[in-house]
Amino acid sequence: MSELVMVNVSGRDKPGLTSEITGIMGQYDVRILDIGQAVIHDHLTWGILIEIPDASKSSRVIRDLLFRLHALDLQVRFAPITVDEYQSWAEGRNRARYIVTLLSRDIKAEQIARVSAITARHGLNIDNISRLSARPSLNGGDNGIACVEFSVRGRPLDPEQLRADFLHIAGEMNVDIAFQEDSIFRRNRRLVVFDMDSTLIEAEVIDELAHEADVGAQVAEITERAMQGELDFSQSFAERLALLKGLDESVLERIAGRLKLTEGAEHLIRSLKTLGYRTAILSGGFTYFARHLQNRLGIDYVYANELEIRDGKVTGEVAGQIVDGKRKAELLVEIAGKEHIAREQVIAVGDGANDLPMLSQAGLGVAFRAKPLVKESARHSISTLGLDAILYLIGFRDSETQLSPKS
């Protein structure tokens, strides 16, 4: 008759420990049922669930392990496991799995305490906790970027309430918390589409144009109401554009030259290109500025509004179809189809109400530094960190991108 034993080892990490321990077990034809290891600051925590085929030999297995681990200056604990306990545990491993991602400038104990309390309250059990960001500097010389990922099992009875609970504490603690199903698509995204204004760049280009035309206050008011979802985008766009009539074409180059990329944008795009992703700008802004970004960042696709110019002057109209929220969603589907990419493999990022249709079409829709209405409506949001925090949402560690975060 066999015997099940849980073995927990801890102490100073050193090369060859796994070989030493399993080598002893191998002498008794021990079967490995589960194994896991973590090393934090050179301190090892190692667990292994074993089946000893002949229970009469279990004392010899434990004796040999105990002697050897003591000689290696390691602490060890043995715990017998019943067959019923094992079966219950094994069946639980087949439950749905989710990923909770905590994003912050600096991870605090209270943040982890409150996130884990919510998962427990909703019937989710934490299997694993990993830090995806690089270790912080003690002298404050790092980039102030931190990410911890929780792998949890179970199925929440009320997913919307769970999301609301996370959103509530995220606002209280100035952090971002994402909750995703751990499906095969999570680390297999292939296309990322971006809004441009206030997403890839910090400015709203139409406001910059309005400033040059001395109608800044009027346009800014309409822009804000549209972004909050109070006005229909197409109507508000036409009203703002009409105020630019007569603006000299020469100001476009000047504005393009002073556009500032959003924090993390360059690092994100560079990393995505290295990892083989396709990228696109789907913007309710203007093609002239989107092309400028395309050349600067190496974006694959650009769709925006063509600002009509005659005799060197802005006419106050656009040529062709307006790229509004509905059109953005359609373009996302079109590009994915052209690239033979499933919609579940698409990430969409935007900040305004007119981005919600495309966010809903993507496998991962992210409201970036968004207005309250958009943040509440989108499935995921990032407000605390830069754009490159998206790499954490798809499970990449800093070491895997092999690039230092840059704004």
Side-chain angles (χ1 to χ4, degrees), residues 66 75 88 142 152 264 292 319 326 391:
L66 190 60
Q75 291 75 52
S88 176
D142 54 28
V152 301
H292 175 80
K326 180 175 179 291
L391 293 168

Side-chain angles (χ1 to χ4, degrees), residues 265-275 403-404 406:
E266 190 169 5
H267 173 232
L268 172 61
I269 301 297
R270 194 166 62 244
S271 298
L272 292 173
K273 287 174 67 66
T274 300
L275 296 166
L403 294 166
S404 301
K406 295 179 182 179

Side-chain angles (χ1 to χ4, degrees), residues 388-407:
D388 47 356
I390 289 169
L391 293 168
Y392 297 136
L393 296 190
I394 52 182
F396 285 108
R397 300 173 183 271
D398 283 351
S399 57
E400 291 176 314
T401 63
Q402 299 180 345
L403 294 166
S404 301
K406 295 179 182 179
S407 59

Side-chain angles (χ1 to χ4, degrees), residues 99-104 107-108 111-112 115 128-133 146-151 176-178 392:
I99 297 295
V100 181
T101 310
L102 172 62
L103 303 166
S104 178
I107 298 296
K108 303 288 188 180
Q111 298 166 0
I112 293 180
V115 168
N128 186 60
I129 303 176
S130 302
R131 185 184 183 100
L132 301 187
S133 54
C147 174
V148 171
E149 180 183 274
F150 304 77
S151 176
D176 295 312
I177 304 169
Y392 297 136

